[in-house]
Amino acid sequence: METECECENEALLEDSKNQEKAENTGQKTGFRWKEIALFLVVLCMQCGTAISESFMFPFFPIEADKRQLTQTHIGLVFSAYEVGRFLTSPIAGSLVAKVTPRAMLILAGILSSTACIALGLIDYVENKHVFLTLTVIGRFVAGSGISMVCVAGTSLLLKATTFQTGTIVSGIEGVIGGGYILGPAVGVAIYQVGGYSVCFYAFGGFMAAVTFLQVLTLPDTEDNSKKEKHFFHLMKIPGIALMFTHYFVVTFGISARYVTFPVFLLHSLDSNTTTIALIMGLSPLIYMAFCPLAGFLMNKGIVYSGIIVGWILQGFVSLLFGPSPLLNFVFHHNQSLLLSAVCWGMFQVLSTVIYLAPFQVALNCAQAAGYEKDSIHTYGMVAGMVNSAQGLGSIVGPIAGGAVVESIGFPWAMSVIAFLYFGMAIFLSVFLLYTKHQKIPLTPS
């Protein structure tokens, strides 16, 4: 779908942006130790927020059960985080240029560390209803904090460094994947040694330390945008609306699988908890390992074609995941643990492409529609849109996915998701054909 000329145009736009920055700062484009240091500090904060979100996954259900909380209550606690992310991201994107990325990152760090420590103090509350209410509030604040970290961190790196977009986005996604590996593992270790509250104190203290490091190192980066537009103006752009839908569907599918796949392994494939933990635990590692490759392809301009191929391949992998009853003429109702595990790994590989490349698409569409190039406001608005869509998908996915699996079973549910993926590939292809026929620009001149 994407021509060679379009691919080269994506890469040339990046090179032009970086050369202009280098000229403005009096530096040549390349790796500079100050840029690398800034990159690492921001990535450390991104990783810290992922750790602070995920460390409680293994043991919070145990503590909730001790307080006689139901599975619905547990789901409410975890969903509150994504609600905070969904609601705060557009606001953060609109305000990041006014308050500066540095100020927003420091504020986000304070919010995240305070919320984490407060969640540990809530353990002393005996009334289960008060405990539940305060925990939900704390998780909401933590979700708001990570949305600000993602928006401000992405905007700062895009504005203040000469790294290409693919390098920045893949780096952020890679360390977040690493955070989701470290969080549960370290969380369980601290929980076994110090107990419930100590876990929150430890991770809250870690976030406070990273925040202090940001105070010492982050630069003041001002935006020279002449026109600032609100979030709903951004969403009126057809390409942006399509990418919002894209990110929602991607995150919907991922979160639905995360909730339903372990139960399928346990009951349908008679897997033990060790096998399930191994398969689930490897997924962030695979994702993290392939993020640099996706960033490299993104920097080379392989964007639209990569997304379309990724959707199609994910659709076929979804059909094999159960496998789908539509393939009974091949599998004869047989289910395989090995096939399911391989498909699970393939999902992680393909997710890197369809998760990272659309950011460049959204950025180009915004700039083609009149948003300023190399602007914190533009970067923030796009990053806010992406995080908001991801938050919404993470809210709807577990609920809808669980309901569909309970109604028609896991293999049929994956079949429905497969055709949803095929539909997204067709929709994007039609969109590209329409814009080409109408000569609607998808990249800035």
Side-chain angles (χ1 to χ4, degrees):
M1 178 63 64
E2 188 175 41
T3 64
E4 182 179 352
C5 180
E6 289 172 326
C7 292
E8 291 177 353
N9 188 36
E10 296 283 351
L12 287 171
L13 281 170
E14 283 292 307
D15 291 339
S16 176
K17 180 195 78 170
N18 294 334
Q19 289 171 6
E20 183 179 351
K21 283 184 181 179
E23 291 171 0
N24 291 338
T25 58
Q27 298 175 348
K28 294 181 180 179
T29 301
F31 291 96
R32 292 290 183 266
W33 69 268
K34 288 184 178 180
E35 289 190 342
I36 295 175
L38 175 61
F39 195 50
L40 293 176
V41 170
V42 174
L43 291 187
C44 185
M45 189 64 178
Q46 304 284 337
C47 184
T49 54
I51 292 174
S52 66
E53 176 197 2
S54 60
F55 78 88
M56 64 185 290
F57 288 171
F59 61 80
F60 180 78
I62 300 173
E63 292 293 325
D65 184 67
K66 292 179 182 179
R67 294 175 177 270
Q68 298 180 338
L69 297 178
T70 66
Q71 290 295 319
T72 302
H73 293 147
I74 295 173
L76 183 62
V77 169
F78 288 130
S79 296
Y81 188 92
E82 299 299 341
V83 172
R85 184 183 176 191
F86 166 63
L87 294 177
T88 306
S89 292
I91 300 173
S94 300
L95 295 178
V96 65
K98 295 180 180 179
V99 302
T100 73
R102 180 181 187 272
M104 183 169 287
L105 278 168
I106 293 172
L107 175 60
I110 294 172
L111 279 177
S112 298
S113 60
T114 303
C116 202
I117 294 172
L119 285 168
L121 293 172
I122 293 171
D123 186 45
Y124 295 100
V125 176
E126 295 183 359
N127 186 290
K128 71 175 184 179
H129 298 293
V130 177
F131 172 84
L132 175 63
T133 302
L134 294 177
T135 302
V136 168
I137 294 173
R139 289 283 293 174
F140 179 89
V141 173
S144 299
I146 192 175
S147 69
M148 295 166 63
V149 168
C150 291
V151 170
T154 304
S155 302
L156 178 62
L157 292 178
L158 287 170
K159 179 65 177 179
T161 72
T162 56
F163 293 112
Q164 291 181 288
T165 304
T167 304
I168 293 171
V169 176
S170 64
I172 290 174
E173 286 295 323
V175 298
I176 288 176
Y180 280 108
I181 297 172
L182 291 174
V186 178
V188 168
I190 297 177
Y191 177 74
Q192 292 176 343
V193 174
Y196 182 83
S197 294
V198 174
C199 289
F200 290 94
Y201 300 153
F203 286 106
F206 171 75
M207 292 299 294
V210 176
T211 302
F212 181 70
L213 179 63
Q214 290 187 132
V215 173
L216 299 177
T217 59
L218 293 185
D220 283 317
T221 307
E222 296 183 358
D223 197 19
N224 296 321
S225 299
K226 298 178 181 178
K227 297 180 180 179
E228 292 188 359
K229 304 173 183 178
H230 53 73
F231 181 76
F232 295 104
H233 183 276
L234 180 75
M235 292 301 298
K236 292 179 181 179
I237 302 172
I240 296 295
L242 178 58
M243 288 303 102
F244 184 92
T245 305
H246 170 100
Y247 273 109
F248 168 76
V249 173
V250 171
T251 315
F252 170 86
I254 292 174
S255 57
R257 288 194 298 268
Y258 263 99
V259 170
T260 58
F261 184 49
V263 179
F264 171 72
L265 289 174
L266 184 65
H267 296 296
S268 298
L269 299 180
D270 297 323
S271 301
N272 55 46
T273 54
T274 302
T275 302
I276 296 173
L278 179 62
I279 294 173
M280 301 296 290
L282 285 175
S283 57
L285 183 61
I286 297 172
Y287 182 82
M288 181 175 64
F290 279 87
C291 273
L293 176 59
F296 173 79
L297 296 175
M298 186 174 165
N299 289 337
K300 291 297 182 182
I302 303 175
V303 180
Y304 287 106
S305 56
I307 296 172
I308 293 173
V309 171
W311 276 127
I312 294 173
L313 291 179
Q314 282 227 9
F316 283 117
V317 173
S318 297
L319 291 176
L320 294 172
F321 198 30
S324 169
L326 299 174
L327 300 179
N328 282 338
F329 68 95
V330 176
F331 295 99
H332 305 291
H333 301 279
N334 293 322
Q335 294 175 327
S336 168
L337 175 61
L338 178 60
L339 178 62
S340 295
V342 170
C343 289
W344 182 257
M346 287 300 300
F347 277 127
Q348 313 314 314
V349 175
L350 295 171
S351 291
T352 60
V353 177
I354 63 175
Y355 222 65
L356 271 61
F359 186 91
Q360 184 67 66
V361 173
L363 195 59
N364 289 342
C365 288
Q367 292 172 349
Y371 281 77
E372 295 186 34
K373 301 177 185 178
D374 195 27
S375 162
I376 294 176
H377 178 68
T378 303
Y379 295 145
M381 293 291 282
V382 171
M385 179 277 294
V386 170
N387 278 275
S388 181
Q390 291 171 347
L392 182 60
S394 297
I395 296 169
V396 178
I399 299 172
V404 173
V405 168
E406 287 181 4
S407 177
I408 61 178
F410 183 81
W412 273 117
M414 292 302 104
S415 302
V416 172
I417 291 179
F419 284 100
L420 180 61
Y421 290 167
F422 290 141
M424 286 300 299
I426 294 172
F427 191 29
L428 179 56
S429 300
V430 172
F431 173 77
L432 292 175
L433 290 173
Y434 175 77
T435 54
K436 183 177 182 180
H437 181 265
Q438 297 294 322
K439 298 182 179 179
I440 300 174
L442 295 178
T443 57
S445 58

